Amino acid sequence: MSRTKVVPTPVMSRHNINAYLLLGRRPVIVDAGTPGSGQKILDQVTAHGVDPSDVSLIVITHGHIDHFGSAAELHRLTGAPVAGHIADLGPYRSGRVREPYLPTGPMGRLMARNRKLHARAEPFEPAVLIRGETSLEDFGLAARIMPAPGHTAGSVSVLTR
């Protein structure tokens, strides 16, 4: 039984990037930040001693641009397949958030004014379609993906032991 280590990989600058590195028998990247974040994420991955070609999977947690924006770029940089829930295929295939943001509360209204969240991303087709609970054991990680709809129809969580 392998242990999973969660390594946050946000780029600490003026704007954090939504991405995490999960270390097990093989590394998995969770989320891909805004468009144009791929190289910054990859730099953080290599800073943690991980060879990008060892990444076994890129999991996208939901169809908002700040989480899937650099998925296609990361796929090219690592060669790893991308996993995404079937209910968020529209944004992934179009590179745009399908529905308008409906902010609630002060933080939501602040985020809705962020132009990066309304940008267009390079479209991608997930090679691994998530429909229900999905084990990551085949990708070298003692973890599972669990659907968690609400934030978007295809929101998922990655649960480690």
Side-chain angles (χ1 to χ4, degrees):
M1 184 180 303
S2 68
R3 296 198 41 148
T4 301
K5 180 179 179 186
V6 179
V7 180
T9 59
V11 176
M12 300 309 287
S13 64
R14 209 174 139 184
H15 302 286
N16 287 342
I17 295 172
N18 291 315
Y20 292 86
L21 176 64
L22 303 181
L23 300 174
R25 290 185 322 278
R26 294 198 59 206
V28 170
I29 295 173
V30 177
D31 281 335
T34 54
S37 301
Q39 188 60 55
K40 292 176 184 175
I41 293 169
L42 200 67
D43 291 346
Q44 288 295 307
V45 167
T46 58
H48 287 286
V50 173
D51 182 333
S53 66
D54 289 339
V55 173
S56 64
L57 186 67
I58 301 160
V59 177
I60 305 302
T61 60
H62 65 283
H64 283 163
I65 200 98
D66 56 326
H67 290 262
F68 77 81
S70 290
E73 181 183 9
L74 275 178
H75 167 67
R76 279 194 306 281
L77 291 169
T78 64
V82 178
H85 195 279
I86 194 165
D88 278 349
L89 283 178
Y92 303 152
R93 289 175 171 166
S94 70
R96 295 189 69 80
V97 175
R98 179 175 37 206
E99 299 172 6
Y101 288 98
L102 301 174
T104 58
M107 184 59 144
R109 286 188 292 277
L110 179 64
M111 289 185 71
R113 287 192 294 249
N114 184 335
R115 288 186 186 156
K116 285 187 175 185
L117 299 182
H118 302 284
R120 186 177 190 110
E122 181 180 348
F124 68 96
E125 184 71 30
V128 178
L129 288 176
I130 301 163
R131 290 180 170 85
E133 183 174 339
T134 304
S135 172
L136 291 176
E137 289 289 341
D138 289 345
F139 295 96
L141 196 65
R144 67 185 191 267
I145 298 171
M146 293 291 298
H151 193 56
T152 68
S155 289
V156 300
S157 296
V158 178
L159 304 176
T160 63
R161 295 181 186 176

